[in-house]
């Protein structure tokens, strides 16, 4: 935008001369309600930035200049007064968010002669009268609000069309900096906020989002507004507040968030065509996460494609190719809520060509559902050698998942026979016990994904109830124990996906493995060893001010080139960076392999979201399975079932943590020619 004309020096007054209003649409006499306008106006809250750099250098916003210039020209303010006005507006926005139109705020500030407290009182007393009116209007429009991201270009255009007619509704947790900056001047004049701007901004980051949210949600009672106003008025040093203060908040906030519900990451695994996507799709439908209209559309489309029974699977298999082939390929992610938990659901692919994707999903999970097919011949195919049921079971166990629910699916095809169910559970039980699951942590549930039996409510079908009285699938998911979240460790996030975002900067998604992050913090990306700033955090498509271990977030980052980041990078706290190396020692457990492992053996290393070619450099020793004592030094080769200490070398540097420091980040898998040969933990770098 700013490349093509001089935004800063542009005189907007010329645009408003005569009746030729700048960028007006064809019909002159249409009017648009503020709440409708709010849908189209670029909302600043979507991407909160508390970075101290002035914004228009990155964006060349037209909007920021536009409003301030527009008001200033109306009120004939000199530059210093303008700066004071902006400073006051900033403070008011922190309290009021987007509940009050800009013009009202400006008017209030001017009436109260730049005294923020008085201005706020003025606005709030007016606000309470207007609240009632706008409420009804909003209610009608809420249903129609468009999903999806606000497109910058569109919004910039809409802004310019709407500005002359409708009150400008800018939202801001951001600093609206003008072309000039006089922090010290504002500070002196504005006896109220005796800090330079940077101080204020850093303070925002550390003031817990709770206060601000509460204020914007409540009917903006003057007391609450004053409280947070006073907090803003406390002078703080420019440096970020010490680590200890926000930490307490984060733990307390974590409990408060989601209405006290705990967060759980769940992965659904199993042999190809066991019915994972259908099972979970139907579960989501029964929970009301998918509306009837969408479901009807899927049913019609899948009938056309000749795959009528795939309708529920399409809830999670969104891409054309997945639907065409009828196979899940990538990890599909959604969230749903049970009575006591908020679940992030990951639907992993079962096909053995896509195991790397499945490992990525399982590495981010806390608990798993293993779906097996009860129909004759199908269960055996998935369970015998070469089937994915075994491999998936081993994989999730070695990636640190300890609790497992086994959904014995398609039970309606064998008429809910108890014998078949027991046969399957006994075979699986033995295997899972060998894989290292405790019997108390594994639950077996007979289900029918297509019929929807025993998913959300206990089954009513008489064939099942006469011998099964246990939990249904949803109750089982609800009874999982969430793992300890390591909030107090330094921040770590493994990148699962990188994409370009509208506007400047780019987004990365992934699960926060440890620690917590707030908007505006500096992050260090390893291996590229680059720093950047977290400009915005979104959790389940909603912008938040902070996130902690266990959350699946997408971060909007600035100050770094997207080319340098690839999947598998780890973002960490610059003060306590993660280790990066090409050689490390590890203790591995070898699964069933045909070829013995020797020195120089080429493998594929799967670590969190990374898959990296590596070679085994040295075989150091064979260890005793249970005690961990060295039974043999420098073995020539390793065979199946052995526990050994080896040294691995990767082609490119990878960011790793030791198992003893970070359990989540210390595990890895080794694969060779399409099958998993070993799992291990990192002992030294």
């Amino acid at each position: 935008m700013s490349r093509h004309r001089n935004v800063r020096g542009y005189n907007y007054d010329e645009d408003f001369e005569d009746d030729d209003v700048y960028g007006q649409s064809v019909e002159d006499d249409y009017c648009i309600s503020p709440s409708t306008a709010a849908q189209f106006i670029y909302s600043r809250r979507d991407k909160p930035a508390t970075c101290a750099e002035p914004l228009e250098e990155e964006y060349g916003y037209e909007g920021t200049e536009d409003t301030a210039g527009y008001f200033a020209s109306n009120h004939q303010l000199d530059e210093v007064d303008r700066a004071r006005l902006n400073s006051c507006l900033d403070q008011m926005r922190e309290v009021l968010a987007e509940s009050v139109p800009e013009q009202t705020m400006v008017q209030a500030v001017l009436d109260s002669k730049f005294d923020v407290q008085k201005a706020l009182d003025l606005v709030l007393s007016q606000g309470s009268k207007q609240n009632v009116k706008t409420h009804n209007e909003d209610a009608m429009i809420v249903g129609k609000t468009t999903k999806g991201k606000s497109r910058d270009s569109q919004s910039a255009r809409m802004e310019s069309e709407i500005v002359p007619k409708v009150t400008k509704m800018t939202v801001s947790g951001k600093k609206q900096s003008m072309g000039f900056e006089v922090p010290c001047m504002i500070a002196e004049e504005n006896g109220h906020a005796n800090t330079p701007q940077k101080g204020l901004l850093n303070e925002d980051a550390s003031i817990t989002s709770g206060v601000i949210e509460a204020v914007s949600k409540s009917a903006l009672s003057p007391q609450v507004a004053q409280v947070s106003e006073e907090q803003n008025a406390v002078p703080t040093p420019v440096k970020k507040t010490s680590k200890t203060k926000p930490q307490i908040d984060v733990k307390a906030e974590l409990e408060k968030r989601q209405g006290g519900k705990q967060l759980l990451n769940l992965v659904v695994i199993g042999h190809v065509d066991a019915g994972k996507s259908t099972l979970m799709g139907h579960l989501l439908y029964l929970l009301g996460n998918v509306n009837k209209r969408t479901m009807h559309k899927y049913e019609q489309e899948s009938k056309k494609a000749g795959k009528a029974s795939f309708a529920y699977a399409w809830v999670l298999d969104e891409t054309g190719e997945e639907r065409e082939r009828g196979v899940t390929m990538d990890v599909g992610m959604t969230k749903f809520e049970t009575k006591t938990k908020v679940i992030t659901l990951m639907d992993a692919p079962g096909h053995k060509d896509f195991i790397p994707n499945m490992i990525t999903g399982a590495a981010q999970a806390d608990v798993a559902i293993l779906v097996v097919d009860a129909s004759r011949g199908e269960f055996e195919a998935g369970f015998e050698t070469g089937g994915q049921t075994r491999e998936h079971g081993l994989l999730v166990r070695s990636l640190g998942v300890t609790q497992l629910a086994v959904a014995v699916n398609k039970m309606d095809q064998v008429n809910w026979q108890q014998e078949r169910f027991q046969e399957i559970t006994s075979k699986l039980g033995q295997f899972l016990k060998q894989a290292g699951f405790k019997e108390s942590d594994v639950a077996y549930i007979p289900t029918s994904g297509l019929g929807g039996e025993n998913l959300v409510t206990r089954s009513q079908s008489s064939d099942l109830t006469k011998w099964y009285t246990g939990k249904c699938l949803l109750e089982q998911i609800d009874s999982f124990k969430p793992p300890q979240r390591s909030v107090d460790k330094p921040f770590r996030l493994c990148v699962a996906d990188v994409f370009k975002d509208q506007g400047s900067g780019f987004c990365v998604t992934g699960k926060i493995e440890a620690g917590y992050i707030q908007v505006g913090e500096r992050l260090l990306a390893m291996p590229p060893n680059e720093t950047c700033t977290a400009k915005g955090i979104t959790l389940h498509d909603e912008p938040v001010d902070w996130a902690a271990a266990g959350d699946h977030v997408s971060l909007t980052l600035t100050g770094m080139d997207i080319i340098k980041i690839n999947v598998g990078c780890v973002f960490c706290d610059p003060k306590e960076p993660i280790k990066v190396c090409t050689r490390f020692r590890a203790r591995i457990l070898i699964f069933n392999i045909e070829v013995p492992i020797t020195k120089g053996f080429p493998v594929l290393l799967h670590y969190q979201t990374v898959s990296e070619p590596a070679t085994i450099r040295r075989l150091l020793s064979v260890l005793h399975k249970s005690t961990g004592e060295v039974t043999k030094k420098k073995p020539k080769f390793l065979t199946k079932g052995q526990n050994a200490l080896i040294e691995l070398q990767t082609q490119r540097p990878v960011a790793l943590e030791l198992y003893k420091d970070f359990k989540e980040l210390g595990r890895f898998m080794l694969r060779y020619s399409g099958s998993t040969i070993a799992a291990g933990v990192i002992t030294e770098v």
Side-chain angles (χ1 to χ4, degrees), residues 6 13 36 43 50 126 242 293 353 407 437 458 476 543 550 558 599 643 661:
N6 179 357
D13 299 346
T36 317
S43 151
T50 39
Q126 290 170 7
S242 67
R293 201 180 71 216
D353 296 354
F437 286 100
R458 301 199 175 185
Q476 180 55 43
T558 52
K599 190 174 156 181
N643 214 329
D661 303 336

Side-chain angles (χ1 to χ4, degrees), residues 481-500:
K481 298 184 279 293
Q484 277 309 122
R485 306 254 176 246
S486 32
V487 180
D488 27 20
K489 290 186 179 167
F491 177 71
R492 299 281 183 267
L493 174 130
C494 296
V495 178
D497 194 7
V498 184
F499 52 92
K500 191 88 183 84

Side-chain angles (χ1 to χ4, degrees), residues 316-387:
L316 289 158
D317 294 352
E318 287 160 351
T319 61
E321 194 179 356
E322 287 183 323
R323 290 179 176 186
E324 205 173 294
R325 294 175 55 176
V327 181
T328 310
M329 292 156 77
D330 205 7
V331 177
M333 258 192 186
T334 40
K335 83 162 206 188
F336 64 93
E337 296 195 8
T338 62
K339 284 180 193 135
T340 60
K341 299 193 175 51
V342 177
I343 310 277
T344 307
L345 172 73
M346 289 169 287
D347 180 35
H351 200 286
K352 78 160 184 265
D353 296 354
F354 308 116
I355 286 220
N357 296 354
M358 180 255 153
I359 293 179
T360 306
Q364 302 173 353
D366 307 317
V367 295
I369 293 182
L370 175 63
V371 182
V372 294
D373 191 335
S375 40
R376 300 242 164 239
E378 283 289 327
F379 168 71
E380 285 74 8
F383 189 67
E384 303 310 322
T385 46

